[in-house]
Amino acid sequence: MSREFFNQVDDEVRGMVRSGLPDPHSYRTGRLIKLWYGDPAVHFEAQLLGAKWADSDDPCLEVGLHLEASSARSNDEILDRLLSSSQEWSAELPKARWGRAIGPRAATWRRVSETVPVPGWDEDFANEVAGRLAAYVSALSGPLVMLPGETGVYR
């Protein structure tokens, strides 16, 4: 795993996301990539899960949408809105799970995501991760469209 892996995911996901969205902001490290279009607290992410938070002893990534506002209520409101439109996106994201975040801030943060086993840190796997992340962006960005003229406010 390396920063180059997540750089490749970033490059590829931008070419896979449906047209009509602006270029996302991004942040990458050697353990994750975050993409967002308005409020950075509402972002799409692929991250290596630490052994404490993973479902197995083998390395895995969590891929999906993270709702990381400081208020659990704000995160719950966005999650509830997404779930009310789940008939529009659930077929595109059959492995998606939602609810509290994975990790130490689960009491406040929320997610719509899946875990993906890591077969190796090669270009093929980076392409697979980019495809999964692009599926989340394409499926969930519609319900997250920002209100005109309001920065960081989602409807």
Side-chain angles (χ1 to χ4, degrees):
M1 171 194 49
S2 69
R3 186 180 199 101
E4 289 77 31
F5 176 87
F6 290 105
N7 287 344
Q8 180 184 344
V9 171
D10 189 7
D11 289 343
E12 291 190 25
V13 76
R14 290 167 188 269
M16 295 175 177
V17 171
R18 66 179 171 82
S19 63
L21 288 174
D23 283 338
H25 301 280
S26 68
Y27 173 78
R28 295 172 306 283
T29 70
R31 297 182 61 85
L32 64 80
I33 178 172
K34 294 181 183 187
L35 300 169
W36 68 94
Y37 293 90
D39 182 353
V42 178
H43 59 268
F44 298 91
E45 184 169 325
Q47 70 170 336
L48 178 65
L49 289 177
K52 183 176 182 179
W53 309 111
D55 292 338
S56 74
D57 293 335
D58 297 323
C60 64
L61 293 177
E62 180 193 16
V63 178
L65 174 70
H66 285 191
L67 307 171
E68 297 180 358
S70 60
S71 160
R73 181 176 176 216
S74 295
N75 294 325
D76 286 335
E77 287 174 359
I78 295 171
L79 182 60
D80 289 346
R81 202 167 305 119
L82 285 169
L83 294 179
S84 73
S85 66
S86 66
Q87 72 281 359
E88 298 171 18
W89 54 263
S90 60
E92 293 178 63
L93 305 173
K95 295 181 181 179
R97 303 296 173 256
W98 48 85
R100 293 178 177 258
I102 298 170
R105 294 192 175 89
T108 305
W109 292 356
R110 303 295 179 259
R111 68 183 172 98
V112 178
S113 66
E114 65 189 71
T115 56
V116 179
V118 177
W121 299 104
D122 61 12
E123 290 181 10
D124 289 338
F125 184 55
N127 182 265
E128 179 185 336
V129 171
R132 294 306 313 139
L133 195 55
Y136 277 87
V137 173
S138 295
L140 300 179
S141 61
L144 289 175
V145 170
M146 295 179 56
L147 296 171
E150 295 185 311
T151 304
V153 179
Y154 291 87
R155 62 173 166 92

